[in-house]
Amino acid sequence: MTALDLFHTDLGRPEAPAVLLVHGWGGDGREWSPHAEALADRFRVVVPDLRGHGRSPVPPEDNTPLAMAHDLAALLGTSATGPVVAVGHSMGGQVVNLLAVRHPDLVRSVIALDPAHGAHGAEVADIPARLTNYQKRGASAAADFVAAAFGSGAPPGLRTAHIRTMLGTPDHVIAQAYAGMYTDPGAVGIRPHSEVYLGSRACPALTVWTAEEAADWERGMLHAPGSRVDHWPYSGHYLHEEHTDRTVRLIREWAEAS
């Protein structure tokens, strides 16, 4: 697997402690724009578009979280950031955790926001049908998921912005990324597999869940010293954009302490 040269932005002083902000499935780095601006006074802030997404190259195959993690490792190496605080939302949460497990020298700590791991119960039972739908309908099927992923207090225009970004993601990327999260050999999205890979993560980690059951599940696992799990109720899946200021404070406080 060859690492891709990702489109990315790099804000802040080059010598400052580095924060990596990683978007999720069918998104791109633009969703981190207000966070990046707010954090750049204290940190070097690197914001990539993952492979197959946004302005980065779109390969015909291997649009999976593991390949995305290897791309990020190459980006951090060439950018000479030093170990980063790796922040990821949804699929991006899975990607930054894979980065921490596979390339531990590059990651100081992790923040995972409503990450794409820990699937169980009815969600697992629905995965084969969802994958078939994504393979047949691609981004239009994924846009249906996105439309239902926001809380009642989401800022005006946020839902539409994400639907547009999802619809602009190539169909094969949508299907391959979903399979890479949940059904490919070695995928870590289903709860028993998530427990194994999270257990092999050596750095401190902060996970924020919008579902109380998921937060309780992850709190029950063994974690590296300094780790914690938070629960943000009354939030939609895109919690970092529904609560921008709160997310900036969370990242700033965690990065300054870790």
Side-chain angles (χ1 to χ4, degrees), residues 185-231:
V188 298
I190 294 175
R191 191 160 289 192
H193 305 302
S194 303
E195 292 171 351
V196 172
Y197 106 102
L198 293 174
S200 61
R201 182 185 57 195
C203 66
L206 166 60
T207 306
V208 182
W209 287 104
T210 60
E212 186 173 13
E213 187 279 335
D216 289 343
W217 160 72
E218 193 161 338
R219 286 191 188 105
M221 291 189 289
L222 294 175
H223 295 286
S227 298
R228 80 171 198 257
V229 178
D230 289 357
H231 172 221

Side-chain angles (χ1 to χ4, degrees), residues 71-245:
D71 291 340
L72 293 179
L75 171 62
L76 296 177
T78 58
S79 300
T81 60
V84 301
V85 176
V87 184
H89 167 252
S90 192
M91 182 184 73
Q94 190 177 123
V95 172
V96 297
N97 276 310
L98 285 165
L99 177 68
V101 170
R102 298 300 188 101
H103 303 276
D105 56 316
L106 297 177
V107 179
R108 190 163 89 242
S109 66
V110 166
I111 301 176
L113 304 172
D114 231 21
H117 63 237
H120 74 115
E123 183 180 0
V124 173
D126 288 344
I127 286 172
R130 289 186 181 185
L131 178 57
T132 297
N133 197 21
Y134 298 141
Q135 290 168 335
K136 289 180 177 178
R137 298 177 54 230
S140 62
D144 293 340
F145 163 79
V146 169
F150 294 89
S152 59
L158 185 59
R159 186 191 317 268
T160 298
H162 274 281
I163 290 171
R164 286 175 56 85
T165 305
M166 182 67 82
L167 289 172
T169 306
D171 291 341
H172 74 282
V173 173
I174 293 296
Q176 289 175 18
Y178 187 81
M181 285 187 275
Y182 297 110
T183 65
D184 284 353
V188 298
I190 294 175
R191 191 160 289 192
H193 305 302
S194 303
E195 292 171 351
V196 172
Y197 106 102
L198 293 174
S200 61
R201 182 185 57 195
C203 66
L206 166 60
T207 306
V208 182
W209 287 104
T210 60
E212 186 173 13
E213 187 279 335
D216 289 343
W217 160 72
E218 193 161 338
R219 286 191 188 105
M221 291 189 289
L222 294 175
H223 295 286
S227 298
R228 80 171 198 257
V229 178
D230 289 357
H231 172 221
W232 287 9
Y234 313 113
S235 299
H237 181 56
Y238 291 85
L239 67 168
H240 61 305
E241 294 179 276
E242 293 187 17
H243 309 287
T244 300
D245 292 344

